[in-house]
Amino acid sequence: MTGKVVVITGASQGIGAGLVAGYRERGWAVVATADTIKPSQDPEVVTIEADIADPAAADRIIGGALERFGRIDTLANNAGACICKPFTNYTAADYAAAV
């Protein structure tokens, strides 16, 4: 253990899951969050199901990190949004969500 803690958004799959694995290999504790994420069997990984676009989610994520580990050293803001339609069909709300 390095004693360091990282919060990783978008941690349930792809690059985010790779970040979780990479930080764990280096001895970091991880707070992994995504819209849908399964609990971890690793005691040094806390998973928090949350939509980072919801302002209240940040409080739950940071609160969970501080409650479990007492500190946060790094944030890997990896979460993304998929607007699954041609960009020519985007509405003003779609553009606002993508920013």
Side-chain angles (χ1 to χ4, degrees), residues 69-84:
F69 299 115
R71 65 187 281 166
I72 299 169
D73 297 286
T74 300
L75 168 66
N77 226 355
N78 174 67
C82 177
I83 302 172
C84 300

Side-chain angles (χ1 to χ4, degrees), residues 33-35 49-58 60-61:
T33 184
D35 285 349
E49 203 167 279
D51 179 357
I52 198 64
D54 174 9
R60 287 192 319 113
I61 295 164

